[in-house]
Amino acid sequence: MSRPRLAGLLAVLALLATALVLGARGAQPAATPGLAALSQELQQARVAAALPPCPKGLSTGLPALRLPCMAGGPDVDVSGAPGRPTLVNIWGTWCGPCVREVPLLVQFAASAGDRVAVLGVATEDSPASVYAFAKAFGVNYPQLRDDMGEVLRHFASYGAGVPKTVLVRADGSIAYVQVGELTSLAAVQAVVADHLGVRL
């Protein structure tokens, strides 16, 4: 590993250690639905993260399930259609490949504009960690909170672990599931072009 990459990874680990301390002090139990009961500290972290609002749906290929939008607002019925081509990234701040991949998705989201939506599903993670990471890395796409890892379990047949990138057509049907890390912006653009037919 090169020195710049090592330094970046160490910075991420330090950030996540801080976030985990905040999460231990402020996070709600996993069984608590929604974000209405966030502590004042986590409400401030949510504002600082400045995540955009969530879409109304994720994929008609998913079971009926409502997950909290980490920007606030109503919970999202993940079994609804997103209304436009969407890249769904299932990830966690506790996952090294996910941490490396997210900055590429930030770049992709910025370049895609309205042509392809990007949505993160933070799985089995603490809200404090996700908010801290989003603020530090300028995450510019919505995040759903999946405390119990239910979306990830739905895709278990494709392979274990995260990250998983699910490409969803505008009508909600699943076009492709990428298992494992996408290692460059060109790789993200290529899978989107190949499976959603959108070239950027």
Side-chain angles (χ1 to χ4, degrees):
M1 181 180 290
S2 66
R3 286 186 179 180
R5 288 183 76 111
L6 180 59
L9 184 58
L10 291 174
V12 168
L13 292 174
L15 169 71
L16 294 180
T18 302
L20 288 172
V21 171
L22 290 174
R25 293 194 336 226
Q28 299 299 310
T32 302
L35 295 175
L38 287 180
S39 69
Q40 183 176 2
E41 189 172 43
L42 280 178
Q43 289 175 18
Q44 292 170 349
R46 181 177 67 187
V47 170
L51 291 166
C54 294
K56 293 183 179 179
L58 193 158
S59 170
T60 55
L62 289 170
L65 173 68
R66 300 191 73 83
L67 294 179
C69 177
M70 295 200 70
D75 289 356
V76 174
D77 176 4
V78 300
S79 66
R84 59 175 164 161
T86 300
L87 182 157
V88 179
N89 185 244
I90 305 170
W91 74 295
T93 61
W94 43 266
C95 157
C98 303
V99 166
R100 292 192 299 266
E101 187 179 58
V102 166
L104 302 176
L105 299 180
V106 169
Q107 293 178 56
F108 177 80
S111 67
D114 292 334
R115 298 182 67 193
V116 180
V118 179
L119 174 68
V121 179
T123 188
E124 299 177 10
D125 212 335
S126 80
S129 296
V130 176
Y131 289 137
F133 186 92
K135 180 182 178 184
F137 288 88
V139 174
N140 55 355
Y141 51 91
Q143 298 289 327
L144 293 178
R145 174 178 159 189
D146 188 3
D147 291 339
M148 306 305 291
E150 292 172 278
V151 173
L152 177 62
R153 279 198 299 277
H154 181 78
F155 292 103
S157 63
Y158 291 88
V162 289
K164 280 190 175 74
T165 300
V166 183
L167 300 182
V168 181
R169 301 180 186 94
D171 66 2
S173 60
I174 294 171
Y176 177 71
V177 179
Q178 164 77 31
V179 178
E181 179 184 1
L182 292 163
T183 57
S184 69
L185 178 59
V188 179
Q189 292 169 333
V191 295
V192 168
D194 289 347
H195 301 285
L196 292 178
V198 181
R199 300 188 181 279
L200 299 170

